[in-house]
Amino acid sequence: QVRLVESGGGLVQAGGSLRLSCATSGSTFRRSAMGWFRQAPGKEREFVAAIIIGHGLATYYSYYADSVKGRFTISRDNAKSAVDLQMNSLKPEDTAVYYCAAALDYSGYNQPPIHAYDYWGQGTQVTVSS
């Protein structure tokens, strides 16, 4: 069983920044594509960002929802077995619970579909005030 734990959420003013981190258990991190999702009250969970391991070369590919592109950056910290989400220029509409997810042994060339994510964290609250 893979355990994911998000941290770094909080309250920030519009235009500010937050950095979320997702710590993973075990040795599965290096074999997993990782993603961030968010869910606002009364809304469905939506994709935010994902990072996958390139085939052959030691490279990574990142994907972003249009709503966060240019403002958010996803990255991997292999030493800590963690995936981070740097969020800049935050807007009130970014307010949501942010979830980390792992797609174990994902081998696709594109970002994983949501059903490919095997494990999910408990979420961390991000609140952006006007």
Side-chain angles (χ1 to χ4, degrees):
Q1 184 72 28
V2 175
R3 188 179 297 274
L4 309 177
V5 180
E6 302 96 335
S7 63
L11 194 156
V12 64
Q13 290 184 318
S17 299
L18 283 174
R19 188 176 184 89
L20 306 183
S21 184
C22 173
T24 66
S25 65
S27 60
T28 60
F29 176 74
R30 298 179 186 272
R31 298 156 47 201
S32 301
M34 304 295 297
W36 284 97
F37 294 77
R38 67 187 183 187
Q39 186 168 23
K43 296 185 178 180
E44 296 183 356
R45 188 168 299 186
E46 66 174 349
F47 168 77
V48 175
I51 187 166
I52 67 172
I53 303 170
H55 290 73
L57 301 177
T59 56
Y60 301 95
Y61 298 94
S62 301
Y63 302 88
Y64 300 93
D66 289 341
S67 59
V68 307
K69 192 171 298 183
R71 299 188 297 120
F72 291 10
T73 302
I74 188 171
S75 61
R76 297 173 70 103
D77 187 336
N78 290 331
K80 297 180 179 179
S81 296
V83 60
D84 295 342
L85 184 69
Q86 178 66 45
M87 306 185 294
N88 298 326
S89 301
L90 284 163
K91 305 174 181 179
E93 49 263 47
D94 294 318
T95 296
V97 176
Y98 283 70
Y99 297 90
C100 175
L104 186 62
D105 292 322
Y106 180 72
S107 59
Y109 289 90
N110 302 303
Q111 65 172 313
I114 191 167
H115 67 259
Y117 290 96
D118 306 290
Y119 303 99
W120 296 79
Q122 293 294 315
T124 185
Q125 177 70 47
V126 171
T127 303
V128 184
S129 62
S130 301

